[in-house]
Structure formats: structure tokens, C-alpha cells
Amino acid sequence: MSNDSYTRHIPPFSDVLSELPPQFPDETETDVVVIGAGPNGLLAAAYLTAAGLDVTVVERRFEIGGGLATEEILFPGHYANTHASYHYMVDYLPPLTDFDMAGQGLRYHKPYGQIGGVFGEDYVYLCKSFEDSRDALARFGIDQADAYGRMATRFHQIVDEILAPATYLPPDPPVDLTQALQRTAIGQDMLEVSEMSALELISSYGMRDSIQATLLYSACQWGLSPIESGVGFMVPLMVDRGTQKAFIQGGSHRLASSFARVILRQGGLILDNAAVVEITTDGDSATGVVLDDGRKIRTRKAVLSTLDPQSTFLRLLPAEAVPAEVRDAADGWVWDKWSLLSVFFVTKGKPQWKPNPNNGMIGLPTPFDTILGFDDTEDVTSFFDSIEKGEIPKFAGHFTVETEFDPTLSQVEGEDVCFFQMPAPYDWDWDGRGDEVVREVTALLDSHYEGFAESVIDCVVETPKTIEQRIPCMRRGSIKHGDYNPLQMGFNRPSVECSSSRTPVNGLYLGGASMFPGGMVIGGPGYIAAQVICEDIEVKFPFDRPDRLKRYLDTYFPDGKD
């Protein structure tokens, strides 16, 4: 065909415009509006659309996924998972099987080596395989390997039988939960563990200080105080899951993309660049949302907010629609004890560990993350204490060479992407001391990796304030949308009135990280919200409960949950 002939087959541009779908109308109606296209919002929308509901997801950013972000921040040609790098709950996350995510091209991988801990001349190496971890620790003595084995077995039983299934069911009042857990020895053990601090629990096994320090950092790095009691049940969860971390081939954003495909295929709608400025109400009921450009979306069934409680109850809702006790709880909401500092690097070649025949590193596969910069358990404890007080006593944390596990993150042959991350306070002079951050972190890595400083091609610093700028509901860089403390966990998260997803405002539900059970891309809040909405509007939930949830309910709530 000649060029002229081809040109004659192109319709006039005016005809093309007339065939385009109309712009989203100024006013529309849907069954459910989901505020926020982060992991929980997308997960809930996937289930609600599968239930046959008309669902519209609204997201203020141009990009969906929230913390499921993979971005070319090291331009050009180098990508990094800027927020959710380690995925802890892939062995339990219901939508992975319900929606056959693997069949849609989503590939999770769990590295053999999970954690490396460098403390003096000791190198602690933990694997995804329980037996291999014991073998690696046996170099410190059979007694050390056995002590770790007792702890790991105990923690896994608590997680597998209780904590993991409970993640995907509405929470129970403390009295009811205590009575239920008394039914089994494992349940009684969890009640005992819950009253302990991370330091007390881990140190009770009498392990070598370097092993203890490695486990303590792993248990506390995302927001637990080593010395705070009352949230000890989180320690088995973080330690057990910390040795089962996975990543997504091609970047964390692929999970968000997979959810989006499910939602759209099932008839749902996702609007980006659509910031909600108001949740509309009629009396004591939520009726829809208003966007910042004036568009209005009315709801026939429900509004689901995945935002923090202050945004939902103090900013978006009219004051008269929110009961006083809910407003007071939102007003007193405590943000995370600390946030995160991440420093991303492009290096010429993969960082190579400096040979040291004394530390046992030789011949072991690179661990998913390596803990660097600490001396011992006391140093780890004092470090977290200083960070919580708003100080940075030293630059110490964990290091991951992302392209060691996912080469697709670098498009330039011979160049690799890695990052250093550490707990960090929000209120610190990040703007004035940026050069110090890069200098100190580079020096730390250079002390452990051969020629690291000379290999650096590019570097980007992501501070707690960057987190807040990127995702505003992570106020003060709160990656979990709120602190993990006894008054903000379980049935109290974010308040007694709202922890089960339902709120005192009829038709308004919560489904974000500030709701039970919490954050970290575990999927619990979104999954619970979808179940509760289906129950309330008398629509069948589209999938049967996983067997582990059924076993948990049969064991601990044989007469049913209230």
C-alpha cells in the first residue's frame, strides 16, 4: 500500500475524537467508592468487584500502588523499590491464590539467604530454611543452634496457628480473645509472650550476643521498641516472617498492576489524579465523595477509606457526622515512633564483601539484607532509644543489593542497584545535613565492601520527609500510618469503635494500615474490609475462606465469633 493509500484510510481527527469515551462525568453513582489505591484499597476493590459490585477507586496521585512503588529514581536506566522492598506475608496472602496472581505473571521469589548480621568478628547468617539456619549457627556451638531451633519452632507455631490467620479476620475484644486463646497450649504461650518486651523474649534463650542482636534488630526495625512490653506477640511475627521475606520479579509495582488488571477486568474503575476533599453525608450516613476538581461520586452501598484516622475523621468528614469519642481517638492518634531513611546507589558492578576468613561469610549466598554498623545487643537497644528520642547516634541499619536478586531493576549492563536503610526520626535536619548522610553511609558500606566508595556512580537519598511528600497519609513519615503500641494495636486500632472496619458513620468503612492489624503490605485491612462490607450489604463474599482461617476459627471460636 502506498503512503497516499495509507493516508486515505486514516479517519479525520474529529471522527476519532467523537469515538473516544466521554470524560468522567461531574456527577456519577457507584456501589462503593474506595479512597486510596494503595495495596489495601486495591485488594479490597478486587474482592468487591469479584462480588459483582460496581466499584470506583480514587487515588490522589498519578500512580497507583502507594508503597508498592518501583521507580526510576536513579535515572537513567536504574529502578528501585522505593518503599516496599521486602514482602513478609506471601505464604498467607489470600488474593495470591484467589485471583491466581501467578497466572497473571506475578512472580514472587524468596532468597535462600535471608538475614546477615555483622557484629564484630561474628557473622550471623539466617536462611529461609529452618534447618539451614541451624546448620549455619552451629559454627558458634551446637547449643547455639539448638537454642535458635527452640525459639524458631515456638515462634513459627504461634504465627502459623494464630497470628497469620487472625491477620485476615476482624479483631476480637481483649477478654474474648484471651478466653479463646486459653483453649490451646500454643494460645496460652502467645498470651505469655504478649506481655514481654522484644529484648526480654529474645534474651531469654541465652544465645550468643551476636545472634541475639541480629534477631533483636530484625524484630524491631519496622517500629517496635526493644524494651516496650504489651506488644510481644509482634516479636514472633517479625522474627519468623523476617526469615521468609520475598520480592517481586520486576519490582513491587507489579503487585499493584496485577490488582488493577483484576479490578478493571471485573468491571471496576480506577481514577488517578483524583484527590478526595470531602466525604459527603446525609445525617449519620456516608453518601459519597467530592473530588478536588468538584466532581461528585454518590454511593449506593459504601465508602471505604484507606487513609489515616485524622484524614478520614477530622479532615474529610463534617464534624457533626463524627461521634465525639471517634474524633477524640483520631485527634489523639500517635504516629510512628520513627520513620525510615533510605539511600539508593548505582554501582559499577555488584558490591563484593571484603574477605575475612574469621567471620564465616566465605561461600555463602548473599543474604537478602545485611545488618551493619552495630557492636552488640546493648548497642542495638540504645540505638533504637536514641532514634525514638529524635537523635541519630550513628548510621547503622540494613543493606540490600537489589539487582543481586532482581537483575531487571538495572537496564545498564555491568551496573547494579543497591540500598541502605535504617530507622530514622522525622524531626532531623535532613535538608541541612544531606551531605553528611551520604558521606557516613558510604563510609559504612566502604568498610565492609571492597572498593564500594569508588564504585558509586549515582546516589539518591529518600528521607522521612520524602516519604510524607510522596504519600501524605504517611504523616511524619509513618510507614504504618500509626505507632505500634498497646493502645493502638488489636481491638484498639485505630479505636474500639472502628477496628473491625465498620465505623459509627453508617456506610463508612476503614481499610488502611491504621486499622487492625496494621501496615507492611500484609493485606489484612483490605481483606477484612471487603468481607465486612459484603456481610453488611448482604452480598456473598466471592471466595471461600482459606483452610487455615477455618482451622483457626474451629479451634479458637467453635461457637462462632460475635
Side-chain angles (χ1 to χ4, degrees), residues 389-392 424-430 464-465 476:
K389 292 176 181 176
E391 306 163 0
I392 296 182
Y426 178 83
D427 290 318
W428 199 73
D429 185 12
W430 296 109
K465 293 189 175 180
R476 297 183 62 81

Side-chain angles (χ1 to χ4, degrees), residues 153-155 157-158 162 181-182 184-196 201 205 236:
T153 300
R154 179 190 188 191
F155 285 4
Q157 288 176 330
I158 291 174
I162 301 173
L181 292 177
Q182 292 286 357
T184 70
I186 294 176
Q188 294 169 19
D189 192 29
M190 192 187 115
L191 291 173
E192 179 182 338
V193 163
S194 296
E195 298 305 313
M196 303 177 72
L201 181 55
Y205 285 89

Side-chain angles (χ1 to χ4, degrees), residues 410-450:
S410 176
Q411 305 298 309
V412 183
E413 186 175 354
E415 296 181 3
D416 285 86
V417 176
C418 54
F419 69 83
F420 170 85
Q421 201 168 60
M422 62 177 273
Y426 178 83
D427 290 318
W428 199 73
D429 185 12
W430 296 109
D431 294 329
R433 301 175 69 177
D435 291 343
E436 176 186 347
V437 170
V438 174
R439 184 173 63 253
E440 293 291 337
V441 170
T442 302
L444 173 64
L445 298 176
D446 194 56
S447 68
H448 293 283
Y449 293 89
E450 199 72 58

Side-chain angles (χ1 to χ4, degrees), residues 169-229:
L169 293 165
D172 300 284
V175 173
D176 294 352
L177 181 61
T178 298
Q179 291 177 345
L181 292 177
Q182 292 286 357
R183 292 177 176 273
T184 70
I186 294 176
Q188 294 169 19
D189 192 29
M190 192 187 115
L191 291 173
E192 179 182 338
V193 163
S194 296
E195 298 305 313
M196 303 177 72
S197 71
L199 182 60
E200 289 173 335
L201 181 55
I202 292 172
S203 63
S204 68
Y205 285 89
M207 289 179 282
R208 188 180 179 93
D209 187 81
S210 56
I211 303 173
Q212 182 173 291
T214 299
L215 295 168
L216 185 64
Y217 180 85
S218 298
C220 297
Q221 66 189 102
W222 307 120
L224 289 184
S225 166
I227 60 174
E228 184 172 34
S229 59

